[in-house]
Amino acid sequence: LKLTRIIGINDLRYLNKINPDLILVTLPPSMAVSLGLTYSRNKIPILCDIQDITDEYKISFTNKLVSLLYRTYYSKVYEKIKKYDIVFTVTEAMAKIIEYKTGVKPILAPNGSDLELYSKSFSKYKNKQPCNPYCIGVFVGSLDWEYQRLESLIEAVYLLRKHYNLELKLRIIGQGRLLKYYMKIARTHGISDLVYFYGYVPMDKLPKVVASSDFGIVSRPSIRNNWIMASIRMTIYDYLSAGLPIVAYGPPYSYTK
C-alpha cells in the first residue's frame, strides 16, 4: 500500500511516478487541500488531516477587510474538504468546529510523541535532582507567531532576578522571524546569561536538551478565540515523554488546560 502526503505544489510532480494507492493531505497549508483534489481526479482515495484551524486565528487578529478576505477564502477551503473520502483531526474541540463548518464528522486521531526517541534521555535524567543548583525551563516551538507570548516569560525571568534575587534559566528552542526580537528583550534586561536561544535543534538531539531541563513551557494569549481554545501544542506530548512537569499559561477552559 503506497501512501503519498501532499503539503505543497512540489509534491505533485512525484505523484505520477509513485502512483500511490492513497493520498494524505495535511491542513495547514490550505493550498494542499486544492492540490489534493486536483490529483484525486484519478479516483484515488484521498484523506485530509486537519492539524490546525489557523483560519480562526487569522480572522480574529487582522483588520476587518483582511478578516473578510480570509473568511471568504477559507469558506471555499472547507467546501472542498467536504469532497474528501476521510477527514480526521487531533482534538475533540477541533472536531466539533470542523463538523460545524463542513457538516462532516471527522475521525479523532490525537497527536503524540516518539516515546522510543525519548526513552534513553528519560532514563538518564529521571533521577536528576530538580532545580539544582537552579531551575531550567525549556520552550520548544516556532518563533514566527506572536501568540507564543515569550516576551512575558522573558520579562518574568528579569523580575525574579531584580526583585527576589532568584535565577531562573530559560532554554528557548526554535527559529523564526521573532528570534531577534526576543534576543533584544533579553539583552535590554541584562539577562542574556539566563536566557539561552538554541535555534533549530535536530530531532535526534532534542530529547537530551528537553529531558535535562526541569520543566516545559506552553504559552498562549489569554483570550477566548476558537483556535486558541480548541488546539493543543504538540510539544506538550514531548514534555510528558521527557518526564517533565509543565508550566502553561493561556485562557481558562481551553483544550490545553
Side-chain angles (χ1 to χ4, degrees), residues 15-231:
L15 289 179
N16 288 321
K17 297 178 181 178
I18 297 171
N19 192 25
D21 302 296
L22 286 172
I23 296 176
L24 172 64
V25 168
T26 301
L27 175 68
S30 57
M31 177 180 65
V33 174
S34 299
L35 294 175
L37 287 177
T38 299
Y39 194 81
S40 69
R41 295 169 187 161
N42 294 349
K43 306 301 181 183
I44 296 172
I46 187 160
L47 291 65
C48 186
D49 174 20
I50 303 179
Q51 289 282 323
D52 225 333
I53 47 173
T54 50
D55 55 302
E56 292 288 342
Y57 176 80
K58 292 177 178 178
I59 289 169
S60 299
F61 297 99
T62 54
N63 62 54
K64 289 184 178 180
L65 176 58
V66 177
S67 177
L68 178 61
L69 292 172
Y70 274 130
R71 201 178 294 275
T72 303
Y73 170 73
Y74 275 99
S75 67
K76 294 179 180 179
V77 172
Y78 283 111
E79 280 296 317
K80 291 176 181 177
I81 288 173
K82 294 179 183 180
K83 300 177 181 179
Y84 276 65
D85 296 294
I86 296 177
V87 178
F88 51 97
T89 191
V90 294
T91 73
E92 290 93 339
M94 282 175 57
K96 290 179 181 178
I97 293 172
I98 293 162
E99 185 175 4
Y100 174 78
K101 289 175 179 282
T102 64
V104 176
K105 189 171 184 177
I107 296 171
L108 187 64
N111 283 318
S113 182
D114 188 339
L115 291 175
E116 186 175 345
L117 191 65
Y118 276 88
S119 61
K120 186 176 180 180
S121 295
F122 174 73
S123 299
K124 181 177 180 179
Y125 293 105
K126 67 178 179 179
N127 296 319
K128 171 181 173 287
Q129 187 69 26
C131 297
N132 183 25
Y134 38 72
C135 280
I136 301 175
V138 62
F139 170 88
V140 182
S142 169
L143 303 184
D144 275 323
W145 299 86
E146 288 85 353
Y147 72 79
Q148 306 283 19
R149 299 301 296 272
L150 291 186
E151 62 270 28
S152 300
L153 195 61
I154 297 170
E155 182 80 12
V157 172
Y158 164 69
L159 293 174
L160 283 171
R161 170 182 271 186
K162 180 179 179 181
H163 296 296
Y164 300 98
N165 199 29
L166 294 174
E167 297 204 339
L168 169 67
K169 296 202 171 186
L170 289 182
R171 293 171 172 173
I172 296 178
I173 300 173
Q175 55 189 3
R177 61 186 178 83
L178 296 174
L179 176 58
K180 292 182 179 179
Y181 167 66
Y182 292 136
M183 293 177 73
K184 182 179 178 180
I185 295 175
R187 284 197 306 270
T188 301
H189 286 316
I191 54 171
S192 296
D193 59 320
L194 298 180
V195 184
Y196 298 87
F197 294 93
Y198 282 71
Y200 171 75
V201 175
M203 197 61 198
D204 60 328
K205 293 181 171 56
L206 185 63
K208 180 179 179 181
V209 182
V210 173
S212 60
S213 305
D214 293 300
F215 63 92
I217 299 163
V218 177
S219 53
R220 284 281 196 266
S222 189
I223 53 177
R224 287 180 174 272
N225 169 268
N226 279 344
W227 175 69
I228 292 169
M229 300 293 288
S231 62

Side-chain angles (χ1 to χ4, degrees), residues 112-114 118 203 206 210 234-243:
S113 182
D114 188 339
Y118 276 88
M203 197 61 198
L206 185 63
V210 173
M234 288 181 61
T235 48
I236 287 178
Y237 301 111
D238 291 326
Y239 298 151
L240 294 174
S241 298

